[in-house]
Coordinates of all heavy atoms in Angstrom, one line a residue:
V14 N -53.3 -126.8 -132.3 CA -53.6 -126.5 -133.7 C -54.3 -125.2 -133.9 O -54.0 -124.5 -134.8 CB -54.4 -127.7 -134.3 CG1 -54.7 -127.4 -135.7 CG2 -53.6 -129.0 -134.2
Y15 N -55.3 -124.9 -133.0 CA -56.1 -123.8 -133.2 C -55.8 -122.7 -132.2 O -56.7 -122.0 -131.7 CB -57.6 -124.1 -133.0 CG -58.1 -125.1 -134.1 CD1 -58.3 -126.5 -133.7 CD2 -58.3 -124.8 -135.4 CE1 -58.7 -127.4 -134.7 CE2 -58.7 -125.7 -136.3 CZ -58.9 -127.0 -136.0 OH -59.3 -127.9 -136.9
T16 N -54.5 -122.4 -132.0 CA -54.1 -121.4 -131.1 C -52.8 -120.8 -131.6 O -52.2 -121.3 -132.5 CB -53.9 -121.9 -129.6 OG1 -53.7 -120.8 -128.8 CG2 -52.8 -122.9 -129.5
S17 N -52.4 -119.7 -131.0 CA -51.1 -119.1 -131.3 C -50.0 -119.5 -130.4 O -50.3 -119.9 -129.2 CB -51.3 -117.6 -131.4 OG -51.5 -117.1 -130.1
R18 N -48.8 -119.3 -130.7 CA -47.7 -119.6 -129.8 C -47.7 -118.7 -128.6 O -47.4 -119.1 -127.5 CB -46.4 -119.4 -130.6 CG -46.1 -120.5 -131.5 CD -44.7 -120.5 -132.1 NE -44.5 -121.6 -133.0 CZ -44.2 -121.6 -134.2 NH1 -44.1 -120.4 -134.9 NH2 -44.0 -122.7 -134.9
D19 N -48.1 -117.4 -128.8 CA -48.3 -116.5 -127.7 C -49.3 -117.0 -126.7 O -49.1 -116.9 -125.5 CB -48.6 -115.1 -128.2 CG -48.6 -114.1 -127.1 OD1 -47.6 -114.0 -126.4 OD2 -49.6 -113.4 -126.9
M20 N -50.4 -117.5 -127.2 CA -51.5 -118.0 -126.3 C -51.0 -119.2 -125.5 O -51.2 -119.3 -124.3 CB -52.7 -118.3 -127.1 CG -53.9 -118.8 -126.2 SD -54.3 -117.6 -124.9 CE -55.5 -116.6 -125.8
V21 N -50.2 -120.1 -126.1 CA -49.7 -121.2 -125.5 C -48.7 -120.8 -124.3 O -48.8 -121.3 -123.2 CB -49.0 -122.2 -126.4 CG1 -48.2 -123.3 -125.7 CG2 -50.0 -122.8 -127.4
R22 N -47.9 -119.8 -124.6 CA -47.0 -119.3 -123.6 C -47.8 -118.6 -122.4 O -47.4 -118.9 -121.3 CB -46.0 -118.2 -124.2 CG -44.8 -118.8 -124.9 CD -43.8 -117.8 -125.3 NE -44.3 -116.8 -126.2 CZ -44.3 -116.9 -127.6 NH1 -43.8 -118.0 -128.1 NH2 -44.7 -116.0 -128.4
Q23 N -48.8 -117.9 -122.7 CA -49.6 -117.3 -121.7 C -50.3 -118.4 -120.8 O -50.3 -118.2 -119.6 CB -50.7 -116.4 -122.3 CG -50.1 -115.1 -123.0 CD -49.4 -114.2 -122.0 OE1 -49.7 -114.1 -120.8 NE2 -48.3 -113.6 -122.5
E24 N -50.8 -119.4 -121.4 CA -51.4 -120.5 -120.7 C -50.4 -121.2 -119.8 O -50.7 -121.6 -118.7 CB -52.1 -121.5 -121.7 CG -53.3 -120.9 -122.3 CD -54.0 -121.8 -123.3 OE1 -53.4 -122.8 -123.7 OE2 -55.1 -121.4 -123.8
Q25 N -49.2 -121.4 -120.3 CA -48.1 -122.0 -119.6 C -47.8 -121.2 -118.3 O -47.5 -121.7 -117.2 CB -46.9 -122.3 -120.4 CG -47.1 -123.4 -121.4 CD -45.9 -123.5 -122.4 OE1 -45.2 -122.5 -122.7 NE2 -45.8 -124.7 -123.0
K26 N -47.7 -119.9 -118.5 CA -47.5 -119.0 -117.4 C -48.6 -119.1 -116.3 O -48.3 -119.1 -115.1 CB -47.4 -117.5 -117.9 CG -46.1 -117.2 -118.6 CD -46.1 -115.7 -119.0 CE -44.9 -115.3 -119.9 NZ -45.0 -113.9 -120.3
L27 N -49.8 -119.2 -116.8 CA -50.9 -119.3 -115.9 C -50.9 -120.6 -115.1 O -51.1 -120.6 -113.9 CB -52.3 -119.2 -116.7 CG -53.5 -119.3 -115.9 CD1 -53.6 -118.1 -114.9 CD2 -54.7 -119.3 -116.8
V28 N -50.6 -121.7 -115.8 CA -50.4 -123.0 -115.1 C -49.3 -122.9 -114.0 O -49.5 -123.4 -112.9 CB -50.2 -124.1 -116.1 CG1 -49.8 -125.4 -115.4 CG2 -51.4 -124.3 -116.9
A29 N -48.2 -122.3 -114.4 CA -47.1 -122.2 -113.4 C -47.5 -121.3 -112.2 O -47.2 -121.7 -111.1 CB -45.9 -121.5 -114.1
L30 N -48.2 -120.2 -112.4 CA -48.7 -119.4 -111.4 C -49.7 -120.2 -110.5 O -49.6 -120.1 -109.2 CB -49.4 -118.1 -111.9 CG -50.0 -117.2 -110.8 CD1 -48.9 -116.7 -109.9 CD2 -50.7 -116.0 -111.5
V31 N -50.6 -120.9 -111.1 CA -51.6 -121.7 -110.3 C -50.8 -122.7 -109.4 O -51.1 -122.9 -108.2 CB -52.5 -122.4 -111.2 CG1 -53.3 -123.5 -110.5 CG2 -53.5 -121.4 -111.9
D32 N -49.8 -123.4 -110.0 CA -49.0 -124.3 -109.2 C -48.3 -123.7 -108.0 O -48.4 -124.2 -106.9 CB -48.0 -125.0 -110.1 CG -47.3 -126.2 -109.4 OD1 -48.0 -127.0 -108.7 OD2 -46.1 -126.2 -109.5
K33 N -47.8 -122.5 -108.3 CA -47.1 -121.8 -107.2 C -48.0 -121.3 -106.1 O -47.7 -121.5 -104.9 CB -46.4 -120.5 -107.9 CG -45.6 -119.7 -106.9 CD -44.9 -118.5 -107.7 CE -44.2 -117.6 -106.7 NZ -43.6 -116.5 -107.5
L34 N -49.2 -120.8 -106.5 CA -50.1 -120.3 -105.5 C -50.7 -121.5 -104.7 O -51.0 -121.4 -103.5 CB -51.3 -119.6 -106.2 CG -50.9 -118.2 -106.7 CD1 -52.1 -117.6 -107.4 CD2 -50.5 -117.3 -105.5
S35 N -50.9 -122.6 -105.3 CA -51.5 -123.8 -104.6 C -50.5 -124.3 -103.6 O -50.9 -125.0 -102.6 CB -51.9 -124.9 -105.6 OG -50.8 -125.5 -106.2
Q36 N -49.2 -124.1 -103.7 CA -48.2 -124.5 -102.7 C -48.0 -123.5 -101.6 O -47.5 -123.9 -100.6 CB -46.9 -124.8 -103.5 CG -47.0 -125.9 -104.5 CD -47.6 -127.2 -104.0 OE1 -47.2 -127.7 -103.0 NE2 -48.5 -127.8 -104.8
R37 N -48.3 -122.3 -101.8 CA -48.1 -121.2 -100.9 C -49.1 -121.3 -99.7 O -50.3 -121.4 -100.0 CB -48.1 -119.9 -101.5 CG -47.6 -118.7 -100.6 CD -47.5 -117.4 -101.3 NE -46.5 -117.5 -102.4 CZ -46.4 -116.6 -103.4 NH1 -47.3 -115.6 -103.4 NH2 -45.5 -116.7 -104.3
I38 N -48.6 -121.3 -98.5 CA -49.5 -121.4 -97.4 C -49.5 -120.1 -96.6 O -48.5 -119.6 -96.1 CB -49.1 -122.6 -96.5 CG1 -49.3 -123.9 -97.3 CG2 -49.9 -122.6 -95.2 CD1 -48.9 -125.1 -96.5
T39 N -50.7 -119.5 -96.4 CA -50.8 -118.2 -95.6 C -52.2 -118.2 -95.0 O -53.1 -118.9 -95.4 CB -50.7 -117.0 -96.5 OG1 -51.7 -117.0 -97.5 CG2 -49.3 -116.9 -97.2
H40 N -52.4 -117.3 -94.0 CA -53.6 -117.0 -93.4 C -54.5 -118.2 -92.9 O -55.6 -118.4 -93.4 CB -54.5 -116.1 -94.3 CG -53.8 -114.9 -94.7 ND1 -53.1 -114.8 -95.9 CD2 -53.7 -113.7 -94.1 CE1 -52.6 -113.6 -96.0 NE2 -52.9 -112.9 -94.9
P41 N -53.9 -119.1 -92.1 CA -54.7 -120.2 -91.6 C -55.9 -119.8 -90.7 O -55.8 -118.7 -90.1 CB -53.7 -121.0 -90.8 CG -52.7 -120.0 -90.4 CD -52.6 -119.0 -91.4
V42 N -57.0 -120.6 -90.8 CA -58.1 -120.3 -90.0 C -58.1 -121.3 -88.8 O -57.8 -122.5 -89.0 CB -59.4 -120.5 -90.8 CG1 -60.7 -120.3 -89.9 CG2 -59.4 -119.6 -92.0
K43 N -58.4 -120.8 -87.6 CA -58.4 -121.7 -86.5 C -59.5 -122.8 -86.6 O -60.6 -122.6 -87.0 CB -58.6 -120.9 -85.2 CG -57.5 -120.0 -84.9 CD -57.8 -119.2 -83.6 CE -56.6 -118.3 -83.4 NZ -56.8 -117.3 -82.3
E44 N -59.1 -124.0 -86.2 CA -60.0 -125.2 -86.3 C -61.3 -124.9 -85.5 O -62.4 -125.3 -85.9 CB -59.3 -126.4 -85.8 CG -60.2 -127.7 -85.8 CD -60.7 -128.1 -87.1 OE1 -60.1 -127.8 -88.2 OE2 -61.8 -128.7 -87.2
R45 N -61.2 -124.3 -84.4 CA -62.4 -124.0 -83.6 C -63.4 -123.2 -84.4 O -64.6 -123.4 -84.3 CB -61.9 -123.2 -82.3 CG -63.1 -122.8 -81.4 CD -62.6 -121.9 -80.3 NE -61.9 -120.7 -80.7 CZ -62.4 -119.6 -81.1 NH1 -63.7 -119.5 -81.2 NH2 -61.7 -118.6 -81.5
I46 N -62.9 -122.2 -85.1 CA -63.8 -121.4 -85.9 C -64.5 -122.2 -87.0 O -65.7 -122.1 -87.3 CB -63.1 -120.1 -86.5 CG1 -62.6 -119.2 -85.4 CG2 -63.9 -119.4 -87.5 CD1 -61.7 -118.1 -85.8
I47 N -63.7 -123.0 -87.7 CA -64.3 -123.9 -88.7 C -65.3 -124.8 -88.1 O -66.5 -124.9 -88.7 CB -63.2 -124.7 -89.4 CG1 -62.2 -123.8 -90.1 CG2 -63.8 -125.7 -90.4 CD1 -60.9 -124.4 -90.6
K48 N -65.0 -125.5 -87.0 CA -65.9 -126.4 -86.4 C -67.2 -125.7 -86.0 O -68.3 -126.2 -86.2 CB -65.3 -127.1 -85.2 CG -66.1 -128.2 -84.6 CD -65.4 -129.1 -83.7 CE -66.2 -130.1 -83.0 NZ -67.6 -130.2 -83.3
E49 N -67.1 -124.6 -85.3 CA -68.3 -123.8 -84.9 C -69.2 -123.5 -86.0 O -70.4 -123.6 -86.0 CB -67.9 -122.6 -84.1 CG -67.3 -122.8 -82.7 CD -66.8 -121.6 -82.1 OE1 -66.9 -120.5 -82.6 OE2 -66.3 -121.7 -80.9
S50 N -68.6 -123.0 -87.1 CA -69.4 -122.7 -88.3 C -70.1 -123.9 -88.9 O -71.2 -123.8 -89.3 CB -68.5 -122.0 -89.3 OG -69.3 -121.5 -90.4
L51 N -69.3 -125.0 -89.0 CA -69.9 -126.2 -89.6 C -71.1 -126.7 -88.7 O -72.1 -127.1 -89.2 CB -68.9 -127.3 -89.8 CG -67.8 -127.0 -90.9 CD1 -66.7 -128.1 -90.8 CD2 -68.5 -127.0 -92.2
D52 N -70.9 -126.7 -87.4 CA -72.0 -127.1 -86.5 C -73.2 -126.2 -86.6 O -74.3 -126.7 -86.7 CB -71.5 -127.1 -85.0 CG -70.5 -128.1 -84.7 OD1 -70.3 -129.1 -85.5 OD2 -69.8 -128.0 -83.7
L53 N -73.0 -124.9 -86.7 CA -74.1 -123.9 -86.9 C -74.8 -124.2 -88.2 O -76.1 -124.3 -88.2 CB -73.5 -122.5 -86.9 CG -74.5 -121.4 -87.2 CD1 -75.4 -121.2 -86.0 CD2 -73.8 -120.1 -87.6
H54 N -74.1 -124.5 -89.3 CA -74.8 -124.7 -90.5 C -75.4 -126.1 -90.7 O -76.4 -126.3 -91.4 CB -73.8 -124.4 -91.7 CG -73.6 -122.9 -91.9 ND1 -72.6 -122.2 -91.2 CD2 -74.3 -122.0 -92.6 CE1 -72.7 -121.0 -91.5 NE2 -73.7 -120.8 -92.4
Q55 N -74.8 -127.0 -89.9 CA -75.5 -128.4 -89.9 C -76.9 -128.2 -89.3 O -77.8 -128.8 -89.8 CB -74.7 -129.3 -89.0 CG -73.6 -130.0 -89.7 CD -74.0 -131.1 -90.8 OE1 -75.1 -131.0 -91.4 NE2 -73.2 -132.0 -91.0
K56 N -77.0 -127.4 -88.2 CA -78.3 -127.2 -87.6 C -79.2 -126.4 -88.5 O -80.4 -126.7 -88.6 CB -78.1 -126.5 -86.3 CG -77.5 -127.4 -85.2 CD -77.2 -126.6 -83.9 CE -76.5 -127.5 -82.9 NZ -76.0 -126.7 -81.8
K57 N -78.6 -125.4 -89.2 CA -79.4 -124.5 -90.1 C -80.0 -125.3 -91.2 O -81.2 -125.1 -91.6 CB -78.5 -123.4 -90.6 CG -79.2 -122.5 -91.6 CD -78.2 -121.4 -92.1 CE -78.9 -120.5 -93.1 NZ -77.9 -119.5 -93.6
F58 N -79.3 -126.3 -91.7 CA -79.8 -127.1 -92.9 C -80.3 -128.5 -92.5 O -80.5 -129.3 -93.3 CB -78.7 -127.2 -93.9 CG -78.3 -125.9 -94.6 CD1 -77.0 -125.4 -94.3 CD2 -79.1 -125.3 -95.4 CE1 -76.7 -124.2 -94.9 CE2 -78.8 -124.1 -96.0 CZ -77.6 -123.5 -95.7
E59 N -80.6 -128.6 -91.2 CA -81.0 -129.9 -90.7 C -82.3 -130.4 -91.3 O -82.4 -131.6 -91.7 CB -81.2 -129.8 -89.1 CG -81.4 -131.1 -88.4 CD -81.4 -130.9 -86.9 OE1 -82.0 -129.9 -86.4 OE2 -80.8 -131.8 -86.3
K60 N -83.2 -129.5 -91.6 CA -84.5 -130.0 -92.2 C -84.3 -130.5 -93.7 O -85.1 -131.1 -94.2 CB -85.5 -128.9 -92.2 CG -85.3 -127.6 -92.9 CD -86.4 -126.6 -92.8 CE -86.1 -125.3 -93.5 NZ -87.1 -124.3 -93.3
Y61 N -83.1 -130.2 -94.3 CA -82.8 -130.6 -95.6 C -81.8 -131.8 -95.6 O -81.2 -132.2 -96.6 CB -82.2 -129.5 -96.4 CG -83.1 -128.3 -96.5 CD1 -82.7 -127.1 -95.8 CD2 -84.2 -128.3 -97.3 CE1 -83.5 -126.0 -95.9 CE2 -85.1 -127.2 -97.3 CZ -84.7 -126.0 -96.6 OH -85.5 -124.9 -96.7
G62 N -81.5 -132.3 -94.4 CA -80.6 -133.4 -94.2 C -79.2 -133.0 -93.8 O -78.3 -133.8 -93.7
G63 N -79.0 -131.7 -93.6 CA -77.7 -131.1 -93.1 C -76.8 -131.0 -94.3 O -77.1 -131.3 -95.5
L64 N -75.6 -130.6 -94.0 CA -74.5 -130.5 -95.0 C -74.1 -131.9 -95.4 O -73.9 -132.8 -94.5 CB -73.3 -129.7 -94.5 CG -73.6 -128.3 -94.1 CD1 -72.3 -127.7 -93.4 CD2 -73.9 -127.5 -95.4
S65 N -73.8 -132.1 -96.7 CA -73.3 -133.5 -97.1 C -71.8 -133.6 -96.7 O -71.1 -132.6 -96.5 CB -73.5 -133.6 -98.6 OG -72.6 -132.8 -99.3
L66 N -71.3 -134.8 -96.7 CA -69.9 -135.0 -96.4 C -69.1 -134.3 -97.5 O -68.0 -133.7 -97.2 CB -69.6 -136.5 -96.4 CG -68.2 -136.9 -96.2 CD1 -67.7 -136.4 -94.8 CD2 -68.0 -138.4 -96.2
D67 N -69.5 -134.3 -98.7 CA -68.8 -133.7 -99.8 C -68.7 -132.2 -99.6 O -67.7 -131.5 -99.8 CB -69.4 -133.9 -101.2 CG -69.2 -135.4 -101.7 OD1 -68.2 -136.0 -101.2 OD2 -69.9 -135.8 -102.5
Q68 N -69.8 -131.6 -99.1 CA -69.8 -130.1 -98.8 C -68.9 -129.8 -97.7 O -68.1 -128.8 -97.8 CB -71.2 -129.7 -98.4 CG -72.2 -129.5 -99.6 CD -73.6 -129.1 -99.2 OE1 -74.2 -129.8 -98.3 NE2 -74.1 -128.0 -99.7
I69 N -68.9 -130.6 -96.6 CA -68.0 -130.4 -95.5 C -66.5 -130.5 -96.0 O -65.7 -129.6 -95.6 CB -68.2 -131.4 -94.4 CG1 -69.6 -131.1 -93.8 CG2 -67.2 -131.3 -93.3 CD1 -70.1 -132.2 -92.8
Q70 N -66.2 -131.5 -96.8 CA -64.8 -131.6 -97.3 C -64.5 -130.4 -98.2 O -63.4 -129.9 -98.1 CB -64.7 -132.9 -98.1 CG -64.7 -134.1 -97.2 CD -64.7 -135.4 -98.0 OE1 -65.1 -135.5 -99.2 NE2 -64.3 -136.5 -97.4
A71 N -65.4 -130.0 -99.0 CA -65.2 -128.8 -99.9 C -64.9 -127.6 -99.1 O -64.0 -126.8 -99.3 CB -66.4 -128.6 -100.8
I72 N -65.7 -127.4 -98.0 CA -65.5 -126.2 -97.2 C -64.2 -126.2 -96.5 O -63.4 -125.2 -96.5 CB -66.7 -126.1 -96.1 CG1 -68.0 -125.8 -96.8 CG2 -66.3 -125.1 -95.0 CD1 -69.2 -126.1 -95.9
R73 N -63.8 -127.4 -96.0 CA -62.5 -127.5 -95.3 C -61.3 -127.2 -96.3 O -60.3 -126.7 -96.0 CB -62.3 -128.8 -94.7 CG -63.2 -128.9 -93.4 CD -62.9 -130.2 -92.6 NE -63.5 -130.2 -91.3 CZ -63.0 -129.6 -90.3 NH1 -61.9 -128.9 -90.4 NH2 -63.6 -129.6 -89.1
H74 N -61.6 -127.7 -97.6 CA -60.6 -127.5 -98.6 C -60.5 -126.0 -99.0 O -59.4 -125.5 -99.1 CB -61.0 -128.3 -99.9 CG -60.1 -128.1 -101.1 ND1 -58.8 -128.5 -101.1 CD2 -60.3 -127.5 -102.2 CE1 -58.3 -128.2 -102.3 NE2 -59.2 -127.6 -103.0
I75 N -61.6 -125.3 -99.1 CA -61.6 -123.9 -99.5 C -61.0 -123.1 -98.4 O -60.2 -122.2 -98.7 CB -63.1 -123.4 -99.7 CG1 -63.7 -124.1 -100.9 CG2 -63.1 -121.9 -99.9 CD1 -65.2 -124.0 -101.0
V76 N -61.2 -123.3 -97.1 CA -60.6 -122.5 -96.1 C -59.3 -123.0 -95.6 O -58.7 -122.5 -94.6 CB -61.6 -122.4 -94.9 CG1 -62.9 -121.7 -95.3 CG2 -61.8 -123.7 -94.1
S77 N -58.7 -123.9 -96.3 CA -57.3 -124.4 -96.0 C -56.4 -123.2 -96.2 O -56.7 -122.2 -96.9 CB -56.9 -125.5 -96.9 OG -56.6 -125.1 -98.2
P78 N -55.2 -123.2 -95.6 CA -54.3 -122.1 -95.7 C -53.6 -121.9 -97.0 O -52.8 -121.0 -97.2 CB -53.3 -122.4 -94.5 CG -53.4 -123.8 -94.3 CD -54.7 -124.2 -94.6
H79 N -53.9 -122.8 -98.0 CA -53.3 -122.6 -99.3 C -54.0 -121.4 -100.0 O -55.1 -121.1 -99.8 CB -53.6 -123.9 -100.2 CG -52.9 -125.1 -99.6 ND1 -51.5 -125.3 -99.8 CD2 -53.3 -126.1 -98.8 CE1 -51.2 -126.4 -99.2 NE2 -52.3 -126.9 -98.6
Q80 N -53.2 -120.7 -100.8 CA -53.7 -119.5 -101.4 C -54.6 -119.8 -102.6 O -55.3 -118.8 -103.1 CB -52.5 -118.6 -101.9 CG -51.9 -117.8 -100.8 CD -51.0 -116.7 -101.4 OE1 -50.4 -116.9 -102.4 NE2 -50.9 -115.7 -100.7
L81 N -54.7 -121.0 -103.0 CA -55.6 -121.3 -104.2 C -56.2 -122.7 -103.9 O -55.5 -123.6 -103.6 CB -54.8 -121.3 -105.5 CG -55.6 -121.6 -106.7 CD1 -56.5 -120.4 -107.0 CD2 -54.7 -121.8 -107.9
S82 N -57.5 -122.7 -104.1 CA -58.2 -124.0 -103.9 C -59.2 -124.0 -105.1 O -59.7 -123.0 -105.5 CB -59.0 -124.0 -102.6 OG -58.1 -124.0 -101.5
C83 N -59.5 -125.2 -105.5 CA -60.5 -125.4 -106.6 C -61.5 -126.5 -106.2 O -61.2 -127.5 -105.7 CB -59.7 -125.9 -107.9 SG -60.8 -126.1 -109.3
V84 N -62.8 -126.1 -106.4 CA -63.9 -127.1 -106.2 C -64.7 -127.3 -107.4 O -65.1 -126.3 -108.0 CB -64.8 -126.6 -105.0 CG1 -66.0 -127.5 -104.8 CG2 -64.0 -126.4 -103.7
V85 N -64.9 -128.5 -107.8 CA -65.6 -128.8 -109.0 C -66.8 -129.8 -108.6 O -66.5 -130.7 -107.8 CB -64.7 -129.5 -110.1 CG1 -65.5 -129.9 -111.3 CG2 -63.5 -128.6 -110.4
G86 N -67.9 -129.6 -109.2 CA -69.0 -130.4 -108.9 C -70.2 -130.2 -109.8 O -70.3 -129.3 -110.6
Y87 N -71.1 -131.2 -109.7 CA -72.3 -131.1 -110.6 C -73.2 -129.9 -110.2 O -73.1 -129.4 -109.0 CB -73.2 -132.4 -110.5 CG -72.5 -133.6 -111.0 CD1 -72.0 -134.6 -110.2 CD2 -72.3 -133.7 -112.4 CE1 -71.3 -135.7 -110.7 CE2 -71.7 -134.8 -112.9 CZ -71.2 -135.8 -112.1 OH -70.6 -136.9 -112.6
A88 N -74.1 -129.5 -111.1 CA -75.1 -128.5 -110.7 C -75.9 -128.9 -109.6 O -76.3 -130.1 -109.5 CB -76.0 -128.2 -112.0
R89 N -76.2 -128.0 -108.7 CA -77.1 -128.2 -107.5 C -76.4 -129.2 -106.5 O -77.1 -129.8 -105.7 CB -78.4 -128.7 -107.9 CG -79.1 -127.7 -108.8 CD -80.6 -127.8 -108.9 NE -81.3 -127.9 -107.6 CZ -81.7 -126.9 -106.8 NH1 -81.4 -125.7 -107.2 NH2 -82.4 -127.1 -105.7
A90 N -75.1 -129.3 -106.5 CA -74.4 -130.2 -105.6 C -74.1 -129.5 -104.3 O -73.7 -130.2 -103.3 CB -73.1 -130.7 -106.2
G91 N -74.2 -128.2 -104.2 CA -74.0 -127.5 -103.0 C -72.7 -126.6 -103.0 O -72.3 -126.2 -101.9
K92 N -72.2 -126.3 -104.2 CA -71.0 -125.6 -104.3 C -71.2 -124.1 -103.8 O -70.4 -123.6 -103.0 CB -70.4 -125.5 -105.7 CG -70.1 -126.9 -106.3 CD -69.6 -126.8 -107.7 CE -70.6 -126.2 -108.7 NZ -71.8 -127.0 -108.9
T93 N -72.3 -123.5 -104.2 CA -72.5 -122.1 -103.8 C -72.8 -122.0 -102.3 O -72.2 -121.1 -101.6 CB -73.8 -121.6 -104.5 OG1 -73.5 -121.7 -105.9 CG2 -74.1 -120.2 -104.1
T94 N -73.5 -123.0 -101.7 CA -73.7 -123.0 -100.2 C -72.3 -123.2 -99.5 O -72.0 -122.5 -98.6 CB -74.6 -124.2 -99.9 OG1 -75.9 -124.0 -100.5 CG2 -74.8 -124.3 -98.4
A95 N -71.5 -124.1 -100.0 CA -70.2 -124.3 -99.4 C -69.3 -123.1 -99.5 O -68.7 -122.7 -98.5 CB -69.4 -125.5 -100.1
L96 N -69.4 -122.4 -100.6 CA -68.6 -121.1 -100.7 C -69.1 -120.0 -99.8 O -68.3 -119.3 -99.2 CB -68.6 -120.7 -102.2 CG -67.7 -119.5 -102.5 CD1 -66.2 -119.8 -102.2 CD2 -67.8 -119.1 -104.0
A97 N -70.4 -119.9 -99.6 CA -71.0 -119.0 -98.7 C -70.6 -119.2 -97.3 O -70.3 -118.3 -96.5 CB -72.5 -119.0 -98.8
I98 N -70.5 -120.5 -96.9 CA -70.1 -120.9 -95.6 C -68.6 -120.6 -95.4 O -68.2 -120.0 -94.4 CB -70.4 -122.3 -95.3 CG1 -71.9 -122.6 -95.2 CG2 -69.8 -122.8 -93.9 CD1 -72.4 -124.0 -95.2
A99 N -67.8 -120.9 -96.4 CA -66.4 -120.5 -96.4 C -66.2 -119.0 -96.2 O -65.3 -118.6 -95.4 CB -65.7 -121.0 -97.6
K100 N -67.0 -118.2 -96.9 CA -66.9 -116.8 -96.7 C -67.2 -116.3 -95.3 O -66.5 -115.5 -94.8 CB -67.9 -116.1 -97.7 CG -67.8 -114.6 -97.7 CD -68.8 -114.1 -98.7 CE -68.9 -112.6 -98.6 NZ -70.0 -112.0 -99.5
E101 N -68.2 -116.9 -94.7 CA -68.5 -116.6 -93.3 C -67.3 -117.0 -92.4 O -67.0 -116.3 -91.4 CB -69.8 -117.3 -92.9 CG -71.0 -116.7 -93.4 CD -72.3 -117.4 -93.0 OE1 -72.3 -117.9 -91.8 OE2 -73.3 -117.3 -93.7
I102 N -66.7 -118.2 -92.6 CA -65.6 -118.6 -91.8 C -64.5 -117.7 -91.9 O -63.8 -117.3 -90.9 CB -65.2 -120.1 -92.2 CG1 -66.2 -121.1 -91.9 CG2 -63.8 -120.4 -91.6 CD1 -66.0 -122.5 -92.4
W103 N -64.2 -117.2 -93.1 CA -63.1 -116.2 -93.2 C -63.4 -114.9 -92.5 O -62.6 -114.3 -92.0 CB -62.8 -115.9 -94.7 CG -62.1 -117.0 -95.4 CD1 -61.0 -117.7 -94.9 CD2 -62.3 -117.4 -96.7 NE1 -60.6 -118.6 -95.9 CE2 -61.4 -118.5 -97.0 CE3 -63.2 -117.1 -97.7 CZ2 -61.3 -119.1 -98.2 CZ3 -63.1 -117.7 -98.9 CH2 -62.2 -118.8 -99.2

């Protein structure tokens, strides 16, 4: 109701592109590299309880070979930390 037809078309194109990118698989990271980084950061954050299971799952999702990944979470859930670790893995 509060948008233009052109904006709806642009949003539909964006959704189609997101779907296409999420299916495309490129640049896989070796499991050994992921595991070594996760082990290193588990030790680094040990005094805070280590990485949470959700953070580990998010990191693995982010570094998957898909060209597009999305992580959603509450404030202070560890998204920024997970993204920083993913960046190091890459």
